Amino acid sequence: MTTIALEFPPLEPRGGAYKRAAGSLGGHHYFTAVQCRPTFGGLGQHTTDTKMNVEDFRKNGKEMIDYICDYVGGISERRVTPAVEPGYLRPLLPSTAPLKPESWSDIMADVEEKIMPGVTHWQHPRFHAYFPSGNSFPSILGDMLSDAIGCIGFSWAASPACTELETIVLDWLGQAIGLPKEFLAFSEGSKGGGVIQTCASECVLVSMLAAREQAILKLKQDNPNGTDGELLNTLVAYCSKEAHSCVEKAAKICMVKLRILDPDNQCSLRGNTVRDAMHADMESGLTPFFMSTTLGSTSCCSFDNLVEIGPVCSDLDVWMHVDSAYAGNAFICEEFKPLMRGIEHASSFNTNPNKWLLTNFDCSTMWVRDRFKLTQALVVDPLYLQHNYSAQSIDYRHWGVPLSRRFRALKLWFVLRSYGIDGLQRYIRNHCTLAKRFEQLVLKDSRFEVANDVKMGLVCFRLKGEDKLTQELLAKINISGQLHMIPSLVNNRYIIRFCVTAEHATENDIDFAWSVVSDMAAEILSDPNNRQRRQSLLKRRLSFVRSVSRDVFQRSNSRSSLYDGCSPVIILDENDLEIKEDVFTFAPMKEELNEEIKSK
Ligand code: PLP
C-alpha cells in the first residue's frame, strides 16, 4: 500500500480531537480526515445568531416527524384540492419578512392554519391527477440526511461519496430496469453511465445539447468554413405529437427546428413516419440530428415504436433519446420489459423515480451510452474547480446544466435498500392492477368509453358524446374536492386522466373514485343545461388548472401541437364574464382572455 503525502491544513480547529486515516481502495489511494467526537462546537455552538440550537433542533425535529406522521395518517380526512380562491394567502401573511426571530411554535401554528388550507394533497388516496409524485418514508429520511450533510457535489473532490454513490445507485437501477450494459458505468469497457438530473425536462434538454454538439462537429468536418450559426440553422429535431412539451422547450433553448410528427391511431410514433420526415428534410438541405421518443406519454401512456424508429436513427446517425419519465420505472418488472424493445438503438434514456418509484422530487435518472459525447457539450473547466483526481473520477458538473448539485443519490439508495427491487415491483404491480380494475368499471358502464390502451397505472376515459359533457363532469368532480383528476386530448377528443398515485392505493379507493364519477355523471346527464350551477363552479375551477375560454382554448389548441397532459386546460363557459385575478393563468393567455371579454 502506498500512502500519498498530501498537505492538509491543520485539522484541530479550536479544541476538536481529530485523527487522519490513510488507505487504499481498488488501487486508488485515499487519505481522509476522520473526526473523533468534537469536544465542543458542532451544531450546538452558535456562530451566528440563529434561533435553533442542536437541542432545539432535536426537539423540534421530533415534533416535525410527529406532525408529518399525523399529516400522512390523517390525509384522507382532508379535501384533495383546497377550497380557496387565487390570492387567498396574501392577506393572511405580513407583507414583509420579520425583522426579529419568531418562535417555532408560531411558525408551526401558521403551517396548519394558513399553509395547509391552500395545499393540494398529492399523496392523498383520492388524488388521481398528473402522474404520481414519488414519496415514501425512507426517501424523506434520505433527503433529510442529504439536507443535513448539505454538500454541493459538483466534482468528486467536492464530496466523494456524493459522486460515487450516484454512479453506483444509477448502475443498480439501470440493471434493474434492464438497460443495455453499455449504459452502465461499471460494465466491461463501458463508455456510458448514469446521472441524476432535476427533472425529465432537463434530461431531454441535456441530451439535445449533446446531440447538437456532435452534429455541429460532424458538419464542420464537411464544411470547415461554415459558422456555428449557419450550421445550427440546418439542424432538425423530431418528436411525436404525443411528446411532452419539454421537447419543444429544449428545441427553443437549443435554437433548432423541431418537426412534430403524427403518431398512429394507438398514439405510437412509427418508423416510416420518421424515415419519411427525415429524408424529406435532408432533401431540403437540412440535417436531422435528434429524435426524442417517448415510452409512456403524458396524455395517455402510449409507447413509441423504438424497434422501427431505432434503425432509422442509427442509419442516419441521429441521436435517439428515450423519455420514459413515468413508465420507465415499471421496467423493473419483467412483464413490462418488452415495452422497451428497441432500446439498444438509444443514445440516452431517462426515467423519473420521483414520479413512480417512491422517491421524492427531485430525482430524474438519466443514462447515456457515451458519456464523453455528453460532456463534450458541457465541459467548462475553470482552474478553481479542477482537482488531482479528475482523470480517475466523475465530475458530475460536466453532465448537466447546474454546477451545484444536492446529494440526491442518498434518498434513492435509501429507497432501493428499504423496499428492495421486490418491494418496488409489488408497488408498481399494485398500481397497474388497480388501473385495470378502474378500466373494467368504466367499460361496464355504457355511458362511458375508455380512450387509451391501459398498460400501466393510467386510464383515460370520457362520457360518450360531445366533449362538453366530459368537461362538465371533470369540473364537477374537481370542485367537489372529493377526487382530483386532469384532462387531456386523445385522438382529438377531450378525456379525463385517472392515474393511480398513492403508495398504498387499494381497491376501495378505486371503487370510491368510480362511485363519485358515476354519480356525478348521472347528475350531468340528467341536467345538461343547468347553466346556473355551471357558472358558480366555473369560478372556483381557476385555482387548480390553467383556464381559458372555449374560443381561446380552440385557438391555443391549434397553435400548440403537443398533447401534453401536464398543461391542462379547463374551459370557461363563453358566457362567464367574471375573470378574477388568477395567479396560475399564463399571463398572455389572460390578457387575451380579458381583451376578449372587453370586446363583448
Ligand atoms: N416527459 C414525460 C413523458 C412526462 O410525463 C413529463 C411530466 O409528466 C415530463 C417529461 C416532464 O417532467 P419534469 O416535470 O420532470 O420535467
Side-chain angles (χ1 to χ4, degrees):
M1 183 186 81
T2 330
T3 305
I4 302 172
L6 291 177
E7 288 207 5
F8 271 68
L11 286 174
E12 280 90 58
R14 303 196 318 220
Y18 295 86
K19 71 178 181 190
R20 286 178 182 176
S24 163
L25 240 185
H28 299 292
H29 303 288
Y30 69 90
F31 192 104
T32 54
V34 180
Q35 185 179 359
C36 305
R37 274 189 254 121
T39 50
F40 81 95
L43 286 170
Q45 194 71 23
H46 295 300
T47 49
T48 55
D49 182 21
T50 60
K51 205 46 186 130
M52 208 181 282
N53 65 24
V54 76
E55 288 312 324
D56 294 334
F57 179 73
R58 198 186 300 281
K59 177 173 162 291
N60 298 341
K62 286 176 181 167
E63 272 174 34
M64 180 58 98
I65 295 286
D66 283 343
Y67 182 84
I68 292 172
C69 292
D70 292 344
Y71 170 70
V72 173
I75 197 167
S76 55
E77 307 302 316
R78 299 180 187 249
R79 283 175 60 96
V80 185
T81 47
V84 294
E85 298 275 330
Y88 90 97
L89 190 55
R90 210 142 172 222
L92 301 182
L93 294 181
S95 54
T96 55
L99 196 59
K100 301 284 181 204
E102 295 191 60
S103 75
W104 176 251
S105 56
D106 284 355
I107 300 169
M108 284 307 288
D110 277 357
V111 166
E112 191 52 37
E113 280 164 29
K114 296 171 183 170
I115 304 300
M116 279 299 175
V119 167
T120 299
H121 301 288
W122 283 60
Q123 306 306 327
H124 199 294
R126 289 162 200 163
F127 181 96
H128 298 291
Y130 310 99
F131 280 137
S133 165
N135 189 291
S136 66
F137 291 134
S139 170
I140 294 171
L141 293 176
D143 236 2
M144 264 176 76
L145 181 58
S146 160
D147 287 344
I149 292 172
C151 66
I152 303 292
F154 46 76
S155 67
W156 177 88
S159 195
C162 179
T163 296
E164 295 200 11
L165 188 65
E166 188 160 328
T167 314
I168 292 167
V169 165
L170 270 274
D171 257 34
W172 283 9
L173 183 58
Q175 283 172 49
I177 286 174
L179 291 178
K181 66 178 179 16
E182 293 82 1
F183 286 90
L184 307 176
F186 291 112
S187 66
E188 187 75 26
S190 165
K191 287 193 283 178
V195 57
I196 300 179
Q197 310 281 15
T198 308
C199 58
S201 309
E202 205 171 297
C203 298
V204 171
L205 171 63
V206 162
S207 310
M208 198 185 282
L209 285 168
R212 187 182 71 163
E213 179 76 11
Q214 292 304 312
I216 299 246
L217 287 174
K218 206 168 113 212
L219 283 174
K220 275 201 169 153
Q221 287 170 1
D222 298 334
N223 308 277
N225 298 325
T227 65
D228 283 4
E230 284 163 354
L231 301 176
L232 187 65
N233 209 21
T234 69
L235 298 186
V236 196
Y238 301 81
C239 69
S240 157
K241 242 179 187 161
E242 289 293 329
H244 190 268
S245 56
C246 68
V247 183
E248 202 170 349
K249 192 184 267 188
K252 256 187 170 178
I253 296 171
C254 292
M255 297 177 73
V256 293
K257 296 174 185 54
L258 178 68
R259 189 86 59 224
I260 297 171
L261 306 173
D262 282 324
D264 66 13
N265 60 6
Q266 296 295 303
C267 302
S268 168
L269 185 62
R270 307 297 300 269
N272 279 343
T273 310
V274 174
R275 181 181 293 108
D276 291 351
M278 289 186 181
H279 281 285
D281 282 339
M282 287 193 300
E283 276 162 30
S284 320
L286 299 173
T287 311
F289 81 104
F290 184 80
M291 173 77 239
S292 195
T293 59
T294 312
L295 296 183
S297 65
T298 319
S299 70
C300 62
C301 202
S302 60
F303 293 77
D304 287 340
N305 192 325
L306 303 192
V307 173
E308 293 176 0
I309 300 171
V312 178
C313 294
S314 299
D315 286 353
L316 301 178
D317 199 13
V318 167
W319 182 297
M320 183 170 89
H321 178 72
V322 180
D323 174 11
S324 199
Y326 164 72
N329 297 288
F331 299 149
I332 63 167
C333 303
E334 281 310 312
E335 65 272 30
F336 292 119
K337 285 186 169 57
L339 290 168
M340 219 181 14
R341 272 200 299 255
I343 188 70
E344 64 278 9
H345 298 285
S347 302
S348 48
F349 173 90
N350 76 271
T351 189
N352 295 22
N354 66 242
K355 284 190 165 56
W356 204 18
L357 215 57
L358 296 170
T359 310
N360 289 66
F361 188 80
D362 52 335
C363 186
S364 285
T365 45
M366 171 186 178
W367 291 262
V368 285
R369 176 180 295 279
D370 187 334
R371 60 177 181 260
F372 301 102
K373 287 188 177 162
L374 173 67
T375 54
Q376 214 167 359
L378 297 161
V379 168
V380 279
D381 226 356
L383 200 57
Y384 62 90
L385 295 176
Q386 291 169 11
H387 59 87
N388 291 340
Y389 299 107
S390 296
Q392 301 125 301
S393 57
I394 285 180
D395 284 347
Y396 275 123
R397 72 176 182 279
H398 303 314
W399 292 53
V401 177
L403 171 68
S404 301
R405 353 184 41 254
R406 300 172 62 237
F407 198 165
R408 293 177 287 207
L410 263 183
K411 61 186 165 195
L412 185 54
W413 188 55
F414 274 42
V415 167
L416 291 170
R417 294 187 62 182
S418 303
Y419 289 86
I421 298 299
D422 198 47
L424 294 170
Q425 287 171 336
R426 262 184 279 130
Y427 158 76
I428 298 271
R429 286 179 180 136
N430 179 43
H431 278 198
C432 298
T433 307
L434 292 177
K436 278 284 172 200
R437 182 181 182 91
F438 189 83
E439 182 195 28
Q440 284 310 311
L441 292 167
V442 178
L443 287 172
K444 272 192 217 141
D445 190 323
S446 60
R447 298 169 299 172
F448 286 92
E449 59 195 0
V450 172
N452 69 328
D453 182 3
V454 180
K455 293 193 166 110
M456 293 188 176
L458 179 71
V459 184
C460 299
F461 69 102
R462 63 190 302 282
L463 274 167
K464 288 177 185 165
E466 282 183 85
D467 283 351
K468 202 174 73 176
L469 293 172
T470 306
Q471 290 159 10
E472 289 300 327
L473 174 62
L474 179 61
K476 197 171 165 57
I477 292 171
N478 277 342
I479 203 70
S480 78
Q482 296 188 70
L483 301 179
H484 187 35
M485 298 182 287
I486 61 158
S488 191
L489 293 176
V490 172
N491 289 327
N492 274 324
R493 302 312 300 265
Y494 188 96
I495 56 97
I496 300 176
R497 293 169 79 266
F498 175 89
C499 191
V500 184
T501 67
E503 177 178 356
H504 303 292
T506 63
E507 290 184 350
N508 281 344
D509 297 326
I510 300 307
D511 296 349
F512 174 83
W514 176 248
S515 70
V516 172
V517 170
S518 173
D519 291 353
M520 295 209 176
E523 283 179 37
I524 298 266
L525 293 172
S526 67
D527 185 16
N529 294 319
N530 188 342
R531 304 185 63 76
Q532 231 180 355
R533 172 135 33 92
R534 261 199 282 158
Q535 287 198 355
S536 71
L537 297 179
L538 286 163
K539 288 173 197 157
R540 287 173 64 196
R541 275 185 236 163
L542 290 168
S543 316
F544 309 117
V545 283
R546 209 182 83 201
S547 316
V548 294
S549 72
R550 207 174 293 276
D551 280 357
V552 174
F553 170 74
Q554 259 145 18
R555 274 182 278 135
S556 71
N557 192 38
S558 58
R559 273 202 303 265
S560 164
S561 356
L562 293 173
Y563 295 161
D564 167 359
C566 278
S567 310
V569 179
I570 279 284
I571 300 161
L572 276 175
D573 189 273
E574 61 264 46
N575 296 322
D576 183 48
L577 296 184
E578 189 188 350
I579 302 301
K580 292 201 170 178
E581 185 61 17
D582 174 8
V583 292
F584 301 102
T585 304
F586 179 50
M589 284 279 194
K590 196 165 69 184
E591 274 163 30
E592 202 170 339
L593 188 53
N594 283 333
E595 282 303 307
E596 191 179 306
I597 289 165
K598 268 189 231 145
S599 69
K600 281 196 177 176

